[in-house]
Amino acid sequence: MRGKRFGTGAALAVGALAVTGLAFAPTAVAVTPDTATITADCGSFGSGEATLAATQDGTSATITVTSAITAPIALSEDSITSALTLVNASGGTATFSGTENPALAAGDPVTVGPLSGTVASGDSLEAYGGSLQIVVLGITVTCTATGPQSPGPFVFD
């Protein structure tokens, strides 16, 4: 009987430690703000407002961009190669890249992402001074922000 009580007590202790570990486990990190807008100039391909949506999971981050340009023709899913370069307030740049996009009908705003990149805690990333390069059907389109993003740069935890 004594062995059973010891086994039960040990199991309870291990369970309590596991619950305590969960209580003190790090919470999901967040980027602030999670969305921002910019006015983008894409040269002869157009200009207008673009939206950037960011997420973070540790040092990995993604950004999805709904651009200021529209698809001239229907485009299939994952047919656009993109690279978004953001300026880091502490110096240097961070690049988010990928080949993900939803299927787009002619006239739809071009949406790319999630584009993947690496961040460090405290990174403050801004589109103004960076660029978005989109390659569609062998044609390269480069968009740049004409001013700071609103409501402000992405700050990663």
Side-chain angles (χ1 to χ4, degrees), residues 122-133:
D123 277 355
S124 178
L125 303 179
E126 164 72 61
Y128 187 52
S131 66
L132 172 64
Q133 188 174 67

Side-chain angles (χ1 to χ4, degrees), residues 52-147:
L52 293 78
T55 64
Q56 179 184 5
D57 184 10
T59 59
S60 297
T62 62
I63 298 180
T64 299
V65 181
T66 302
S67 74
I69 58 175
T70 57
I73 59 171
L75 298 169
S76 61
E77 181 177 5
D78 300 337
S79 62
I80 302 172
T81 301
S82 306
L84 173 67
T85 302
L86 301 175
V87 176
N88 195 331
S90 63
T93 60
T95 300
F96 295 79
S97 59
T99 57
E100 294 191 44
N101 63 274
L104 301 167
D108 283 351
V110 173
T111 299
V112 295
L115 305 176
S116 301
T118 303
V119 296
S121 181
D123 277 355
S124 178
L125 303 179
E126 164 72 61
Y128 187 52
S131 66
L132 172 64
Q133 188 174 67
I134 300 171
V135 181
V136 182
L137 303 171
I139 299 168
T140 301
V141 178
T142 301
C143 300
T144 56
T146 60

